Amino acid sequence: MPQVSTPGSIVVLTGAGISKESGLDTFRDHDGLWARVRIEDVATPEGFHRDPGRVQHFYNARRRELSEGGIEPNPAHLALARLERDWPGEVLIVTQNIDDLHERAGTSNLIHMHGELLKIRCERCQRPMRWAADLEVSSLCPDCGRAGVLRPHVVWFGEVPLEMDRILTALDRCSLFVSIGTSGHVYPAAGFVSAVRNGGRARTLELNLEPSNGASLFHDVRTGPASELVPAFVDEVLTSVGAI
Ligand code: APR
């Protein structure tokens, strides 16, 4: 039971596991994306500049799956939107995921620290723009009109995650940190629990199908599918402040 004395702020980190029951692949499970393609080929700036067509093809397939494959938010995404609505303090969702399932579930206070699959950006203009269609190497930037400069608005290995200042400030102030559906292998997200624990005040909770790489750093660890654990957690923490 995550004891939260006063309704302070809650920071929730999510990873690919929260979207698994919506039908999207994780990365490091036995059937995950990195079991089928190499990170170096499709998730690094070097891979993109070596073979942009291969990278565009990889993200085009994921973009089509998300926007045309009947992928919907699951009860875990919906429960977090309910938590944001009914919790008397601030709730910030920090997701490593590039899908739009948190938004579609109703979450608004959200940071996509690894970018967004349904956005692209021009390497010259740097402005992110919504893009649901396939991206080709020859696609022209609608702003500067150049070809060969558009890329997925996704943070690749070796690139800087987005909105880190805002994330670190929220972690420093929160009274509860919850990690959901992430293996705890990729930094800086894998280090968030230590940052919170170093602050000495907040409770920390992991909700995951199996204990993550950082499970021992959490006060509480619960294992099971997110679609079961997250609604139960939200009911519990809202009940603890009389919000239901
Ligand atoms: N419910 C809850 N957790 C689940 C479920 C489920 N139904 N299915 C899988 N999981 C857990 C797995 O046990 C695993 O711990 O989700 C986690 C997924 O781990 P990864 O595949 O490593 O995904 P993630 O932690 O989000 O990866 C972080 O790595 O490759 C980069 O940029 C990519 O954002 C990604 C980052």
Side-chain angles (χ1 to χ4, degrees), residues 124-135:
R124 277 177 54 87
C125 309
Q126 286 304 320
R127 184 177 64 83
M129 52 195 104
R130 282 198 66 80
W131 194 274
D134 281 0
L135 195 55

Side-chain angles (χ1 to χ4, degrees), residues 79 82 207 222 226-238:
R82 177 161 61 92
L207 306 176
R222 296 178 191 168
S227 64
E228 292 173 19
L229 292 182
V230 181
F233 154 72
V234 169
D235 286 344
E236 190 178 309
V237 77
L238 289 179

Side-chain angles (χ1 to χ4, degrees), residues 15-17 21 26-29 34 96 114 181-183 186 208-209 226:
E21 291 164 90
T26 61
F27 294 95
R28 295 171 184 81
D29 288 334
W34 299 151
Q96 301 172 92
H114 290 169
T182 181
S183 62
V186 176
N208 212 55
L209 192 63

Side-chain angles (χ1 to χ4, degrees), residues 199-217:
R201 289 181 304 103
R203 296 294 294 177
T204 55
L205 169 65
E206 177 179 271
L207 306 176
N208 212 55
L209 192 63
E210 57 198 14
S212 77
N213 191 48
S216 62
L217 299 170

Side-chain angles (χ1 to χ4, degrees), residues 25-27 30-38 54 58 65:
D25 289 328
T26 61
F27 294 95
H30 70 279
D31 58 349
L33 282 169
W34 299 151
R36 303 199 292 273
V37 286
R38 289 179 353 120
R54 176 183 202 153
F58 174 69
E65 177 191 35

Side-chain angles (χ1 to χ4, degrees), residues 1-139:
M1 172 65 170
Q3 297 300 329
V4 180
S5 53
T6 57
S9 62
I10 301 177
V11 175
V12 181
L13 171 69
T14 64
I18 199 172
S19 297
K20 174 79 172 180
E21 291 164 90
S22 292
L24 294 178
D25 289 328
T26 61
F27 294 95
R28 295 171 184 81
D29 288 334
H30 70 279
D31 58 349
L33 282 169
W34 299 151
R36 303 199 292 273
V37 286
R38 289 179 353 120
I39 287 173
E40 297 78 5
D41 292 337
V42 296
T44 63
E46 297 78 13
F48 180 64
H49 293 119
R50 189 166 55 244
D51 187 347
R54 176 183 202 153
V55 174
Q56 302 294 23
H57 176 79
F58 174 69
Y59 286 95
N60 287 343
R62 293 178 69 193
R63 199 178 296 116
R64 272 198 305 274
E65 177 191 35
L66 180 60
S67 45
E68 302 163 14
I71 303 294
E72 296 295 334
N74 68 55
H77 299 103
L78 296 168
L80 291 180
R82 177 161 61 92
L83 178 66
E84 178 183 355
R85 188 190 67 212
D86 297 344
W87 179 254
E90 182 187 1
V91 175
L92 173 65
I93 309 295
V94 179
T95 188
Q96 301 172 92
N97 299 340
I98 59 176
D99 63 57
D100 63 343
L101 297 178
H102 282 302
E103 296 91 320
R104 286 166 51 197
T107 288
S108 53
N109 195 22
L110 171 66
I111 293 176
H112 278 278
M113 64 181 291
H114 290 169
E116 298 176 65
L117 183 58
L118 297 180
K119 288 183 180 173
I120 61 163
R121 72 171 184 270
C122 169
E123 290 198 307
R124 277 177 54 87
C125 309
Q126 286 304 320
R127 184 177 64 83
M129 52 195 104
R130 282 198 66 80
W131 194 274
D134 281 0
L135 195 55
E136 308 300 339
V137 176
S138 57
S139 300

